Amino acid sequence: MSRLIKEYKTINAQDDILLFPETADNLNNWTAMITGPPNTPYEGHDFKLYISIPDAYPNSPPMVKFHREAMPHVNVNYETGEICLDILKGEWSPVYNLLYTVQSIERLLSEPNADSPLNLELGILMREGDKTAYDSLVRYYLQRQK
Amino acid sequence: MKVRVKEVYPIFAWSWDTYTESTDLHNNDPLHNKYPNKINNETYTFLKNYRNDIDDVCGICRVSYNGVCPNCKMPGKSCPLVVGTCNHNFHYHCIYRWLDTVNSKGLCPMCRQEFTLKPDVVINAKHTQKFMELISKNRERRLMMEREERELNDDLNMDEEDEVTRDAIDNAAGATEAWTQVPQDISDEEEDMTYDDPIE
Ligand SMILES: [Zn+2]
Ligand SMILES: [Zn+2]
Ligand SMILES: [Zn+2]
């Protein structure tokens, strides 16, 4: 637990990153806001991440999800918001922290990975190399939510 | 003048003898690869400060090596430090707990090489046996997981080769269908929306 308290203190000092525990005395559930990176179909949109900390943290990775039906992305299950990212699974290391995890998910928005699709529709467009269609479909989903 | 000593209060300070403050920037260190060969004074100072910030805390619990891991009260002997062959240091308790998880695959959390204790280091000596046991446990685990994965792949390839391709084709057709409907929906609802990418 004291590792999380340390993280809480250092994150507080950085204003530009929105990552906060649901309540200051319960560090098991966190929320993060990430901004759609420029020059991606996500630009101009903000996305909420739900983070829950397993008891074994940092020896087990945090569990992170997007809001359901909010994130059209090849590596995100659209219905559940579940994320497929190596560091959230087998490539996790206890030297990573919540901030690094959130930054990696932000990076995943500009670097989708065709090898592990959780969104089959987008996965197929990506494997066909049809970036225009991929980006447009993402935009369509995002527009529809507004 | 005569001085009489009435009382004595012994005070001592100690710290673990780690490799971090020496100029020994070994090859395993990513920083070394970033700044090869020529290290001028300025760079050295930078590196030294940087390394002090990063290296003098245990990467797992972020507490100083000279402090204790989250599960201990007394620093020193009861919460010792170990040095990896890769020259990454951790509290004994922190690295042991990590290596004892399936997630770890026996790898160093910093450099992802198999974590072994650096030989001929005094503070490691006491723990060599326990770490050897852990390493062989992890190797066995890894072999078993690889075998299971191979078997699973073989099964998939044999039984479902036809089905998998058929599914893929079905999915592809479904996706194209959904995709061709998309631009229509948009243009119906919002005529004046601009697009970077023209849609046919
Ligand atoms: Zn530690
Ligand atoms: Zn300890
Ligand atoms: Zn290492």
Side-chain angles (χ1 to χ4, degrees):
Chain A
M1 257 310 137
S2 97
R3 209 336 259 268
L4 275 173
I5 294 168
K6 271 187 192 296
E7 288 193 38
Y8 180 54
K9 283 180 185 156
T10 47
I11 287 163
N12 261 352
Q14 286 169 299
D15 295 327
D16 55 325
I17 284 139
L18 277 174
L19 171 62
F20 41 90
E22 262 164 35
T23 58
D25 49 10
N26 173 13
L27 298 183
N28 288 321
N29 291 294
W30 295 60
T31 310
M33 287 296 276
I34 59 174
T35 312
N39 306 316
T40 69
Y42 306 102
E43 185 171 1
H45 298 264
D46 290 329
F47 302 94
K48 205 170 182 181
L49 287 169
Y50 299 91
I51 304 167
S52 66
I53 312 288
D55 289 342
Y57 182 84
N59 283 337
S60 292
M63 290 173 281
V64 191
K65 271 185 177 185
F66 282 101
H67 198 289
R68 51 190 296 276
E69 299 188 357
M71 176 44 85
H73 186 286
V74 65
N75 307 116
V76 179
N77 182 318
Y78 190 70
E79 279 76 36
T80 63
E82 186 199 334
I83 303 166
C84 182
L85 178 64
D86 55 0
I87 66 152
L88 292 177
K89 303 200 167 113
E91 294 303 306
W92 172 257
S93 160
V95 300
Y96 299 154
N97 55 17
L98 294 182
L99 195 59
Y100 177 82
T101 307
V102 171
Q103 284 165 342
S104 303
I105 293 169
E106 200 170 42
R107 212 169 319 125
L108 189 67
L109 298 192
S110 8
E111 297 162 15
N113 174 7
D115 295 333
S116 50
L118 282 184
N119 183 322
L120 292 177
E121 230 179 343
L122 288 170
I124 285 159
L125 291 178
M126 199 176 168
R127 236 172 306 151
E128 285 170 352
D130 197 344
K131 193 172 181 313
T132 313
Y134 181 99
D135 286 357
S136 307
L137 186 54
V138 169
R139 279 198 196 94
Y140 166 68
Y141 271 111
L142 293 175
Q143 285 295 333
R144 205 174 52 173
Q145 288 162 18
K146 278 200 166 169
Chain B
M1 192 177 84
K2 211 172 175 181
V3 175
R4 177 168 294 165
V5 178
K6 286 184 174 166
E7 268 177 295
V8 177
Y9 299 96
I11 291 171
F12 72 98
W14 65 274
S15 73
W16 292 103
D17 181 17
T18 64
Y19 294 85
T20 49
E21 279 185 84
S22 67
T23 47
D24 174 15
L25 299 168
H26 45 84
N27 295 326
N28 283 328
D29 196 316
L31 275 175
H32 174 70
N33 300 331
K34 244 189 198 165
Y35 308 96
N37 301 333
K38 260 204 167 162
I39 292 184
N40 59 31
N41 277 342
E42 211 177 309
T43 319
Y44 179 69
T45 316
F46 165 76
L47 275 184
K48 213 180 131 190
N49 291 338
Y50 181 80
R51 292 171 64 85
N52 277 348
D53 282 354
I54 301 278
D55 282 355
D56 282 357
V57 301
C58 165
I60 299 176
C61 68
R62 312 277 157 124
V63 172
S64 152
Y65 293 137
N66 300 329
V68 280
C69 83
N71 289 25
C72 288
K73 291 259 177 314
M74 287 292 287
K77 248 194 194 162
S78 58
C79 188
L81 192 76
V82 291
V83 184
T85 309
C86 56
N87 279 359
H88 289 125
N89 314 314
F90 302 96
H91 293 120
Y92 166 84
H93 297 132
C94 293
I95 187 68
Y96 193 92
R97 257 198 304 271
W98 163 244
L99 293 176
D100 204 17
T101 65
V102 184
N103 290 347
S104 77
K105 301 181 207 115
L107 305 181
C108 169
M110 304 288 280
C111 63
R112 306 230 143 235
Q113 304 178 59
E114 185 173 62
F115 188 87
T116 52
L117 290 188
K118 191 171 183 154
D120 305 322
V121 173
V122 181
I123 57 172
N124 282 346
K126 254 171 68 183
H127 315 295
T128 312
Q129 179 67 25
K130 278 197 96 174
F131 271 80
M132 287 304 282
E133 284 164 17
L134 205 53
I135 286 164
S136 53
K137 187 164 129 193
N138 274 318
R139 281 183 185 157
E140 262 166 46
R141 243 187 224 157
R142 212 157 41 207
L143 284 176
M144 209 167 74
M145 272 161 69
E146 278 166 20
R147 200 173 53 228
E148 273 170 15
E149 209 171 294
R150 249 199 326 273
E151 280 169 9
L152 200 76
N153 281 340
D154 288 350
D155 283 358
L156 276 178
N157 288 341
M158 275 196 300
D159 301 344
E160 290 173 27
E161 202 153 40
D162 298 338
E163 259 177 69
V164 167
T165 36
R166 213 180 314 125
D167 279 353
I169 291 164
D170 286 348
N171 282 335
T176 328
E177 222 169 80
W179 163 239
T180 43
Q181 287 166 4
V182 168
Q184 280 175 349
D185 288 348
I186 291 171
S187 51
D188 283 347
E189 283 162 26
E190 293 173 68
E191 288 286 341
D192 56 347
M193 207 163 62
T194 49
Y195 264 91
D196 298 345
D197 311 305
I199 297 165
E200 298 282 319

